[in-house]
Amino acid sequence: MKNKSLLYRFNIYQKERFPFAILVFTTLSVVLSSSVIVITSDDSILNHLPGIIIGTLTCLLFMFNIRVFDDFKDERFDSRFHKERPVQKGIITLNEINFLNIAGLSIQILLNVFYSLSAFFWWLLALAYSLIARMEFFMKGWIRKRFFIYNALNLLQIFFLQIYLYKLIEPALSWKNNLLFIHFIFVLFNAGLLDVARKLKRKEDETEGKDTYSSRLGMETASFMYSCVCLIVYGLFLYLLFSLKKSFILFYASLIPLAVVITSTILYLSWKNKASTKVVEGLAILFYLSMHLLLVFTRI
């Protein structure tokens, strides 16, 4: 494998640890729904295409930065409990993905410094927080043992990044816009939804590291938690939808992904096999995309 090119080996790495083919669409959906929230009702997202493109590329590369930082801080843990991962198998080294990450950070800096300095300030805050997260919030050992606190603090890495996105799309945005805060919470819960979905496993796939919600809570309780997160996301979606546009067509359309994602938890508990965990994760992504993109249709 060492004889293979870096590009070849990185392709193997990204398929498992950072699937670009999926993340391009999930990232774009967040950027588009964020655009709808910050622009005025008589404006069009087409007028903000440069910001949308830069925002999508920046957020995608920033999420890669978070993945690389995670792989660095989790090296010892993964070497013990996840020996099947690309870094642990020797397919690619931490130094190699770090080199690619530095290139990605350089691209982000160049794009944003020349496009919007006010948005770039929030990007810098996001980077600073991610560096603190890489240092495990200066509580190494203690914080990792607090699974739920640890995951919540890591999830907040998108806090400043989301504000960056709002400022990038609309530099003159009004903080008095109540929908801005609802959408912000909506984005955080959506990110949490994906995090919980990918950490629902069957008992046979759990490790002694206990780094999943199902290992900590049990399959039934973890599934209930996941369903609650889905319902919270949907409730926030409805508030945003009817605030932006009273469209019953979009409301009825939204019931389909809701029904599908709730059904996936039933399948997860009924089948209790590897296929059911993949179904949960796949349909969580579909639900995530639907919630964001249906909001975009209020401006079309």
Side-chain angles (χ1 to χ4, degrees), residues 240-286:
L240 291 168
L241 174 65
F242 287 113
S243 296
L244 291 167
K245 184 179 182 180
K246 290 181 173 60
S247 172
F248 286 96
I249 293 177
L250 293 177
F251 165 68
Y252 292 135
S254 71
L255 292 173
I256 299 172
L258 176 65
V260 167
V261 79
I262 295 299
T263 301
S264 71
T265 62
I266 298 173
L267 295 178
Y268 166 70
L269 290 172
S270 301
W271 294 353
K272 295 183 179 179
N273 57 27
K274 186 162 287 189
S276 65
T277 62
K278 293 298 182 183
V279 167
V280 169
E281 191 172 353
L283 293 181
I285 294 169
L286 178 63

Side-chain angles (χ1 to χ4, degrees), residues 112-152:
N112 289 281
V113 163
F114 290 105
Y115 188 78
S116 174
L117 280 175
S118 61
F120 181 64
F121 167 77
W122 292 101
W123 181 90
L124 285 174
L125 290 179
L127 181 62
Y129 188 91
S130 69
L131 286 167
I132 293 172
R134 177 176 173 174
M135 300 299 293
E136 296 195 332
F137 307 97
F138 306 107
M139 297 181 284
K140 192 172 183 178
W142 184 90
I143 191 68
R144 191 175 281 274
K145 293 177 182 178
R146 276 69 183 177
F147 177 78
F148 295 97
I149 297 175
Y150 182 69
N151 278 276

Side-chain angles (χ1 to χ4, degrees), residues 49-117:
L49 280 180
I52 290 171
I53 294 170
I54 291 173
T56 301
L57 183 57
T58 297
C59 289
L60 185 63
L61 291 174
F62 194 90
M63 297 305 290
F64 177 66
N65 169 70
I66 292 174
R67 166 51 59 213
V68 173
F69 280 9
D70 282 351
D71 279 347
F72 266 93
K73 70 180 179 182
D74 294 341
E75 180 185 13
R76 291 180 62 184
F77 183 89
D78 288 347
S79 295
R80 182 179 178 185
F81 299 112
H82 296 287
K83 296 179 181 179
E84 76 285 355
R85 290 179 175 171
V87 170
Q88 280 61 45
K89 289 171 67 175
I91 293 173
I92 196 168
T93 67
L94 288 174
N95 286 336
E96 286 172 328
I97 59 173
N98 191 51
F99 169 78
L100 294 172
N101 184 44
I102 291 172
L105 289 170
S106 300
I107 292 171
Q108 293 175 71
I109 292 170
L110 288 172
L111 284 174
N112 289 281
V113 163
F114 290 105
Y115 188 78
S116 174
L117 280 175

